[in-house]
Amino acid sequence: MSIIVCVSFLYMITLPKLPYDYNALEPYIDEETMRIHHTKHHQAYVDKLNIVLEKYPAIKSDTVETLLSTLNTLPMDEKDKILLRNHGGGHVNHTFFWTIMGKTKAVNQELQEKIQTTFGSVDEFKQLFTQTALSHFGSGWVWLVENKKGKLELYSTPNQDSPYLLGHKPLITLDLWEHAYYLKYQNRKAEYINSWWNVLTVI
Ligand code: MN3
């Protein structure tokens, strides 16, 4: 019995710790929003993801990113694939999102140069990214990704759809769900986006 518990624990997805305190992104993203976002919303995706994965012990040892990029070929019920897409996406999207924010800049020079080459300048990229975020309807995410050819692409996805579904690697993202900003910004989505640039560390 204890061995079974031990094995299933090994493959259990757990909520990653934030790499900073809940109040670290103040005043741009408030402590209460960060706390609820991480301990309630992200935790819920993790819990529901584990419920799906528990049904398929054979595929649990792959990373969630790999599962998403091979979703169509997985030996799973179609209903469970949708759950994996939603909750697996919710987990990997948030896990990545936390790592590109912080109190102090940690600029990724290589990424910055690629952005300059692709979009002309960092400022032009920021404008396009903001525009894409503003014109996204409903819940979702805005992304800068590296596609399979190694080129940068900018787009938004609905719900918790992850770029890994397309085999793309996330480089920068912003959570456009209301839970990410509503406590502080209410309906002022543009203000949230503009403030957020202050806590993005990688460019
Ligand atoms: Mn969220």
Side-chain angles (χ1 to χ4, degrees), residues 192-203:
Y192 159 63
I193 298 165
N194 286 330
S195 295
W196 174 76
W197 290 113
N198 292 291
V199 298
L200 176 69
T201 57
V202 292
I203 58 168

Side-chain angles (χ1 to χ4, degrees), residues 17 72 128:
K17 254 184 81 82
N72 290 333
L128 273 175

Side-chain angles (χ1 to χ4, degrees), residues 37 41-42 45 94 97-98 141 160 175 177 179-180:
H37 201 169
H41 292 277
H42 189 170
Y45 294 119
H94 286 93
F97 183 48
W98 308 136
W141 295 76
Q160 291 295 350
D175 191 338
W177 285 58
H179 69 227

Side-chain angles (χ1 to χ4, degrees), residues 8 11-14 45-64 67-68 71 74 76 80 83-85 87-88 91:
S8 84
Y11 296 127
M12 194 88 164
I13 306 294
T14 53
Y45 294 119
V46 168
D47 293 343
K48 289 172 183 167
L49 173 61
N50 279 319
I51 291 170
V52 185
L53 293 182
E54 271 164 23
K55 292 173 70 176
Y56 302 92
I59 61 168
K60 271 202 293 191
S61 56
D62 285 323
T63 67
V64 181
L67 296 182
L68 291 173
L71 188 69
L74 291 178
M76 297 176 82
D80 287 333
L83 293 175
L84 174 57
R85 179 179 182 144
H87 301 300
H91 171 55

